[in-house]
Structure formats: C-alpha cells, structure tokens
C-alpha cells in the first residue's frame, strides 16, 4: 500500500541535513509500488526526483515535485564463470556500506577499498563512486533500471553505462529517464588486494599487518576515512564537493614552476589530475567557518553544515571557493555534488 505525503521535510533524507520540503514524497520497496506511485496524479502532474541515500546532493530550495525514495532491499551471491568469481547482486535501496560488509562476510574481494562511502547501492554507479584507487566500474557487471516513459526494465552493461571519473550516462544523456533497480558486481575470492594507496599501507603498518586480509584492508580504509572525513550522522556533508580537476601537461608544467610541491597524478598521455583539496587549502579555505557552515578542517574538499545552514549559503560558499581557486591557479573546479 503506497502513501504519498505532502509538504514533506527532506532534512533526514539528505546527508547535508538541509531543511527544505518536497511538495510530495513517497517510498517504494518493490516494482509494483513504484508503478503505483508513477500512475498517481501527483506523479503525472509533477517532476520527479529519485533519492537513494541523499549523500551527493545539495538542496538549495523546496522541491516542487514528487520525491521518490527507493527502499528496494535484498542482496545475493550468484556463482559466476570460474570457481573463484562470484556475482553479487544487490537491490538499489540497500546502503552501499552494507553491501561492502556483506561481500567481505562472503570472503569476496573487490570493493573493500570503498568501505564506509555513504549513500545507496543505486547511487553508486550513477556517479561511479570511488576511493583509494578503486572505482565501481572496476567491479561492475551490470545493472537493471526501470524506464520511466515505458515502464520497461532494461539491463545495462558496463559499456552502456559510459563510466568516467565520477560520471555515467545516468548523469548525462539518460538523466531522469531511468530509475536504477539493482546492481550486479563481479567479485573474486582470490583477487589481489589493492593497497597501493599510500595511506592504506601506512595504516596496515601501524596495525602491524604484513599479509592483509580483505577485512584488514576494509578496516584500514575505515580508519583513514574516520580520521579525515566528517561522519554525516554528526556533521552535515556530502563528501567531496568538487571533482579533482584534470588539466593539460603544458598547463601543469607552469603551475609546477610556481608551486613545486603541488600534488599530481597522471591522467592519460597528455593530462594531469590535481588534488582539489590541496588547491582549496592553498587558497586559504581549509577549516574556514562562516556562522554554521564552512570548509572541513581535515579535508578542504568537503563543505560542511554544522546545523541549520541554508543550501543556498553552502552553494554561495562553493562559488567563492571556485572563484578564488580560479584566480590563484587559473584552474576551474567542477562541482561533484548535484545541486537542486
Ligand atoms: N590535500 C590537501 N589538503 C586537503 C585535502 C587534500 O593538501 O585539505 C592533498 C592531500 O595531502 C593529498 C591530495 O590532496 O596529497 C589528495 O587527498 P586525498 O587522498 O584526501 O584524496 P582527494 O583527492 O582529496 C579523492 C576522492 C575521495 C576519496 C579519496 C581517497 C574525489 C573528488 N575525491 O579525494 O572521494 O575518498 O580521493 O581515494 O575524487 C568523494 O568522492 O566524495 C570522496 C570522498
């Protein structure tokens, strides 16, 4: 039985903790409920917003349409082509971290570096989430999505998702056309663990671990994240607010002359990825607080709401940061978070 609520506060449903209202709000835990909601007059007459964990979203105003909260749950392991490989299928309404924990309990490797990323399973492929050297696309098998205009379920392969750095076709050409229903990953019992990211190695050494298990890597990632990133349950935030910018090698050489200690990572043959957090820190923003919101003290890429801030205030802060990084380094930052 579905219920469509009116003038509904979205505060508990976005990790920034912004208090705006949706004109209508409804939850679905299976396809029948989703269809019922989409056939309602509220859905027919208004725009839709599908919410997963609300962890990559900045709400700057009331939403004058229908918010659909995906609560489809369930996870299963399916043997794949070899004795070592397994498909893990999860419905989109599960928390991503619960899927990571489920996989580790099955002794399956591949997503342990993405432990503790807030948000839902359905949102993970949408922006190709990633951390500590691994992205969803590295373990992605397929996903099922509900086409809003036809009510048909379509299976998307990795190629069809057009994954990029924090990008997929669902943020671009197919934006608002599909609702992700389930995600299937290909994981392995004997996959090599990815501990190349310096901080993971340091953390494992600190714990005296030489031959880490899947869970050891997950624990190391959890410790690093807890030390650097604010917990959205305590301080409102949406993780990295900006993407790490990619610039040409020629532009990078000029910057390197002026700032010899600038961190950089290779990105294809002719480009270099910069650390947006470093640029923002150098521009003087790290730890800056403006009344009840600001820039996190341990990670300048994260904007925070200490409680009661307006989404538009945080947006304006992001605009100021963008401008000052541009005038200092000539580099244009791009927001990672979806603005509504
Ligand atoms: N740095 C600074 N000052 C800061 C923050 C970072 O100088 O305030 C420097 C660090 O010292 C380091 C470099 O910037 O040299 C990179 O920092 P870090 O390892 O913390 O990672 P990041 O590039 O800032 C990215 C992802 C994170 C992910 C981490 C770890 C993006 C936009 N962000 O951050 O993802 O957890 O790498 O893999 O790609 C997210 O997307 O929401 C997110 C948290």
């Amino acid at each position: 039985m579905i219920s469509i609520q009116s003038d509904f506060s979205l505060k508990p449903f976005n990790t920034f903790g912004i208090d705006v209202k949706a004109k209508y709000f409804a939850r679905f835990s299976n396809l029948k409920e989703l269809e019922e909601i989409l056939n309602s007059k509220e859905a027919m007459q208004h725009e839709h917003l599908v919410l997963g964990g609300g962890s990559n979203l900045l709400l700057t105003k009331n939403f004058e349409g229908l918010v659909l909260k995906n609560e489809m749950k369930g996870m299963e392991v399916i043997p794949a082509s070899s004795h070592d490989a397994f498909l893990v299928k999860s419905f989109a309404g599960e928390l991503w971290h619960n899927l990571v924990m489920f996989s580790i309990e099955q002794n399956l490797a591949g997503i342990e570096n993405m432990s503790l990323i807030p948000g839902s399973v359905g949102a993970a492929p949408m922006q190709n989430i990633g951390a500590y050297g691994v992205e969803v696309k590295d373990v992605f098998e397929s996903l099922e999505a509900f086409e809003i205009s036809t009510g048909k379920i379509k299976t998307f392969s990795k190629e069809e998702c057009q994954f990029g750095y924090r990008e997929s076709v669902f943020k671009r050409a197919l934006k608002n056309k599909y609702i992700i229903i389930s995600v299937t990953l290909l994981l392995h019992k004997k996959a090599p663990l990815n501990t190349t990211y310096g901080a993971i190695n340091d953390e494992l050494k600190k714990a005296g671990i030489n031959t880490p298990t899947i869970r050891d890597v997950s624990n190391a990632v959890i410790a690093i994240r807890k030390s650097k990133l604010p917990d959205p349950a305590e301080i409102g935030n949406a993780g990295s607010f900006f993407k790490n910018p990619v610039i040409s090698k020629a532009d990078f050489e000029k910057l390197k002359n002026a700032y010899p200690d600038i961190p950089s990572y290779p990105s294809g043959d002719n480009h270099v990825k910069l650390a947006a957090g470093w640029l923002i820190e150098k521009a003087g923003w790290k730890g800056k607080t403006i009344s009840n919101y600001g820039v996190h003290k341990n990670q300048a890429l994260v904007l925070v709401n200490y409680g009661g801030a307006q989404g538009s205030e945080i947006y304006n802060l992001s605009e100021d940061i963008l401008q000052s990084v541009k005038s200092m380094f000539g580099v244009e930052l791009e927001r990672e978070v979806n603005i509504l």
Side-chain angles (χ1 to χ4, degrees), residues 8-9 16 64 88 100-101 111 118 142 167 180 202 224 290:
F8 190 88
S9 169
F16 251 123
E64 298 300 333
V88 176
V100 176
M101 292 297 111
I111 54 177
S142 64
E167 282 294 344
I180 296 174
D202 296 346
I224 301 164
I290 304 128

Side-chain angles (χ1 to χ4, degrees), residues 132 165-166 197 228 240 242 244 275 281 286 299-300 336:
Y132 309 106
Y165 168 53
R166 297 295 189 275
Y197 199 91
K228 276 194 169 182
S240 299
F242 300 98
N244 283 329
E281 178 174 348
K286 192 171 185 171
Q299 171 44 295
E336 197 216 291

Side-chain angles (χ1 to χ4, degrees), residues 156-170:
F156 286 79
S157 67
K158 190 190 287 198
E159 290 66 36
E160 286 170 313
C161 290
Q162 297 175 26
F163 291 123
Y165 168 53
R166 297 295 189 275
E167 282 294 344
S168 78
V169 73
F170 302 103

